[in-house]
Amino acid sequence: MAKCRGRVVFDFLFERLPIWALRFILFLVVVVAPFVHYGYVKTYLVDAQPLLLPGVLILGLALPLVTLMITRKYPAITGKFFVPLVLGGGVLLLCVQMFLVKGGLFETSWDVASVAIVHDRLNPDSLSYLQDYLSNNPNNTMINVIFSVVAAVGSALGITTYMALVLGGCLCVTISIVACTFAARHVFGERIALAFDVLASLYLGLNAWIFVPYTDTYGMLCPALVLFSITCIRDKRLAAVLVGLLSALGYAIKPTAIFTLLACCILALPRFVASAHAWLQKEKLHNKAQAVLHSRLFQVLLCGCMAFVIGWVACSSITTYREQQIGADTTKAKSVAHFLMMGANPESMGGFNGDDVNYTNSFTDPKERTAANIKEWLRRIEEMGPVGTAKLATRKTLTNFSDGTFAWEHEGRFYRHQLGNNSAIKAWYGIGEKGASINSGLSYELLCQMLWLVVLIGCACVPLNGVSSTEKIMRLALLMLALFLMIFEARARYLFLFAPYFVLLGVVGWFRIEKALCSFMRKRLGIGERG
């Protein structure tokens, strides 16, 4: 009885809760957002949502229907032409990205300006600036290393440093979309994979954030390739090795990238416990050891753990070397407690707060700094009380999920230098003018908001008979991401790393809606048959 009760609790926490969490987020975005003030709110997007909803429903329903019509008329695209079509589409997307970037390129400030210092390291001023930055933010050392490699490749090809960094991010986004398309094919079939490929290419591949070279675009590659490894590689031991290595690299670029690996480990627990129980039933120690070593599950776990440890050690060695090379003093680094404290600041509604940064930097000793951050966090939680904390959590969730542009332009000094000269591209994305207007960026942002609502509605749709193990992994990873952003610093841009997961689940959801509607019309109304 206790075992059954434990399984029920496990299923609720790690299988049902992720589903209801996305449904609750959809409810907040559609119903609650117009009546609540939250951080980085774009009122024109919130006010436009009722007008966008008819278009959202039409687009969502059209997605599976148009896909069905096209694949029926041209069945080869789901057969022998599927792989060439997806790869060719990836190349075309990359070419379009290059055209857009050339016409709308701009240099931004905030963290990007710091981690993009690669060839100027011999310049004393630049070296000092990078040294101070990595001392306070050693979590961004790996992306600085990667940028150095990308810049060197770009230099060999005759591409300027900043352009090379932007194109590197574009390449990562494109590969991520292609990888998730193949993953979707293995789990959900060719039709859903093609629909995902088109929607993701338009929404993510041509997203404004491709103009900004940072951990969000580069880091997207790791969760996408982890999903590809899980679904497309038949040898699960090899898949586990790739998952471990990619997760370690992803963690070094952006810590949230590890959530897919954690989701895999958590969902494998029941099977591991059952196998461990079977191993213990063996009478002799020799038989127990033999059963463990010959177990495919044990081999997969061992390969994954060893790969992650090796990857983590390698990444740590690389970042440590770079910090020593630069002369960074990592004792100045902000700990997790700083972001916990900042996430509980009701004045900034859990977002970035300069006063909190100054407060943290006022402590020179790392232990004192962490203790002060935790003390201040506890004081804020106690002062807000349960109701106030719940209100803040609601506002932070809206900050993270209500903006379909992933809070485009809401970062420091956003437009430092404008290098592109294509006025049409700059007007479409609103480049150079912070805030949207009819002639600058509004159409783009409204389109993003509509596509984001399409995605969220699709994510909320799940059949009563459950979902595949791959879908459970994606949903649990997204739940971890939502909780992370609810507890720590709120920032919508952090969703972009897992945007392919959101889009894929959204596309799957609309295909389920179409299937349910066809079934209803066939059974209740006697209208046609679904092919």
Side-chain angles (χ1 to χ4, degrees):
M1 182 65 71
K3 189 182 294 185
C4 293
R5 201 179 301 124
R7 180 68 202 201
V8 169
V9 173
F10 182 90
D11 289 346
F12 172 77
L13 289 177
F14 303 115
E15 295 182 13
R16 302 304 302 175
L17 186 59
I19 295 171
W20 283 102
L22 287 174
R23 290 172 177 170
F24 181 65
I25 288 169
L26 174 64
F27 170 77
L28 290 178
V29 171
V30 175
V31 179
V32 178
F35 308 101
V36 176
H37 179 63
Y38 53 91
Y40 307 115
V41 59
K42 294 180 178 178
T43 53
Y44 52 90
L45 292 183
V46 177
D47 294 341
Q49 279 188 172
L51 300 175
L52 295 176
L53 282 176
V56 168
L57 296 176
I58 292 171
L59 181 59
L61 291 171
L63 184 65
L65 292 175
V66 172
T67 304
L68 180 63
M69 291 169 56
I70 293 174
T71 53
R72 276 180 170 176
K73 189 172 183 179
Y74 306 102
I77 65 175
T78 58
K80 62 180 181 179
F81 290 140
F82 178 86
V83 173
L85 184 65
V86 172
L87 295 179
V91 174
L92 177 61
L93 174 60
L94 192 59
C95 292
V96 174
Q97 289 173 333
M98 291 170 65
F99 171 76
L100 293 174
V101 166
K102 183 179 179 182
L105 184 67
F106 66 92
E107 290 186 9
T108 187
S109 190
W110 47 290
D111 297 70
V112 177
S114 301
V115 295
I117 297 174
V118 287
H119 288 320
D120 291 335
R121 276 187 285 124
L122 296 178
N123 182 317
D125 293 334
S126 297
L127 179 61
S128 176
Y129 189 79
L130 181 61
Q131 186 182 78
D132 290 340
Y133 178 81
L134 293 183
S135 295
N136 286 278
N137 304 277
N139 56 300
N140 276 337
T141 303
M142 178 55 76
I143 194 64
N144 180 253
V145 173
I146 293 172
F147 278 4
S148 296
V149 175
V150 173
V153 173
S155 178
L157 298 174
I159 304 173
T160 60
T161 298
Y162 199 83
M163 174 66 86
L165 300 183
V166 174
L167 292 178
C170 292
L171 181 62
C172 289
V173 172
T174 299
I175 294 175
S176 299
I177 293 170
V178 172
C180 287
T181 300
F182 285 114
R185 179 196 189 191
H186 277 260
V187 181
F188 304 109
E190 284 81 3
R191 286 176 177 171
I192 289 178
L194 288 173
F196 162 79
D197 192 36
V198 172
L199 184 59
S201 295
L202 292 174
Y203 184 34
L204 307 180
L206 304 182
N207 197 280
W209 284 108
I210 65 170
F211 289 93
V212 180
Y214 198 44
T215 53
D216 308 288
T217 50
Y218 280 78
M220 180 190 287
L221 187 61
C222 293
L225 290 180
V226 165
L227 187 66
F228 174 85
S229 301
I230 293 169
T231 56
C232 300
I233 297 179
R234 293 182 180 180
D235 188 336
K236 296 306 176 186
R237 289 166 294 192
L238 175 59
V241 169
L242 292 175
V243 168
L245 292 174
L246 288 166
S247 297
L249 176 60
Y251 182 79
I253 297 173
K254 197 89 163 178
T256 51
I258 202 173
F259 289 155
T260 309
L261 174 63
L262 293 179
C264 290
C265 294
I266 291 172
L267 292 173
L269 275 176
R271 187 180 167 196
F272 178 78
V273 171
S275 298
H277 180 73
W279 298 335
L280 293 174
Q281 296 302 310
K282 303 292 182 181
E283 293 183 0
K284 296 181 179 179
L285 182 62
H286 172 73
N287 293 337
K288 290 180 181 180
Q290 202 171 38
V292 171
L293 292 175
H294 289 172
S295 167
R296 178 59 63 92
L297 176 61
F298 175 78
Q299 293 173 3
V300 169
L301 291 174
L302 182 62
C303 288
C305 290
M306 289 180 62
F308 179 79
V309 171
I310 291 172
W312 181 79
V313 170
C315 289
S316 298
S317 301
I318 292 170
T319 55
T320 300
Y321 175 77
R322 172 52 63 91
E323 287 159 5
Q324 291 175 348
Q325 181 188 35
I326 297 297
D329 180 8
T330 54
T331 60
K332 298 179 180 179
K334 302 177 188 69
S335 68
V336 173
H338 164 77
F339 298 98
L340 188 68
M341 176 192 73
M342 193 157 61
N345 191 328
E347 293 181 5
S348 57
M349 287 177 279
F352 177 82
N353 186 281
D355 291 336
D356 280 351
V357 174
N358 294 333
Y359 175 75
T360 298
N361 290 339
S362 66
F363 297 91
T364 55
D365 182 73
K367 292 183 179 179
E368 288 183 10
R369 187 186 307 131
T370 299
N373 288 152
I374 293 174
K375 184 179 179 180
E376 179 62 18
W377 172 71
L378 291 172
R379 187 195 67 78
R380 291 175 178 180
I381 295 296
E382 183 180 2
E383 190 175 87
M384 287 187 292
V387 175
T389 303
K391 288 181 178 179
L392 179 62
T394 301
R395 289 191 173 94
K396 291 178 69 176
T397 301
L398 288 171
T399 297
N400 298 324
F401 287 93
S402 66
D403 189 346
T405 70
F406 305 104
W408 172 243
E409 297 182 326
H410 279 300
E411 292 288 352
R413 183 186 169 194
F414 204 72
Y415 299 112
R416 188 172 64 160
H417 298 300
Q418 295 186 55
L419 306 173
N421 54 11
N422 189 309
S423 57
I425 293 173
K426 292 165 71 174
W428 171 250
Y429 288 106
I431 293 172
E433 181 183 326
K434 206 160 185 180
S437 64
I438 293 177
N439 298 320
S440 180
L442 183 60
S443 298
Y444 164 73
E445 295 203 15
L446 289 174
L447 178 61
C448 283
Q449 191 69 11
M450 186 166 71
L451 293 176
W452 181 236
L453 291 173
V454 168
V455 167
L456 286 182
I457 292 173
C459 287
C461 298
V462 177
L464 296 175
N465 58 352
V467 297
S468 66
S469 58
T470 304
E471 186 170 341
K472 290 176 183 177
I473 290 170
M474 287 192 290
R475 289 184 178 275
L476 183 54
L478 295 184
L479 174 63
M480 293 180 188
L481 178 65
L483 292 175
F484 179 89
L485 295 177
M486 184 190 295
I487 295 170
F488 298 99
E489 180 189 3
R491 201 173 284 267
R493 175 172 53 81
Y494 292 170
L495 297 185
F496 197 67
L497 188 80
F498 282 94
Y501 286 19
F502 281 106
V503 175
L504 179 53
L505 292 174
V507 170
V508 172
W510 281 104
F511 272 79
R512 287 168 177 159
I513 292 172
E514 183 263 347
K515 182 178 179 181
L517 287 175
C518 289
S519 178
F520 173 79
M521 290 189 292
R522 188 171 63 249
K523 292 180 180 178
R524 300 293 179 87
L525 305 178
I527 301 176
E529 288 190 9
R530 180 179 182 273

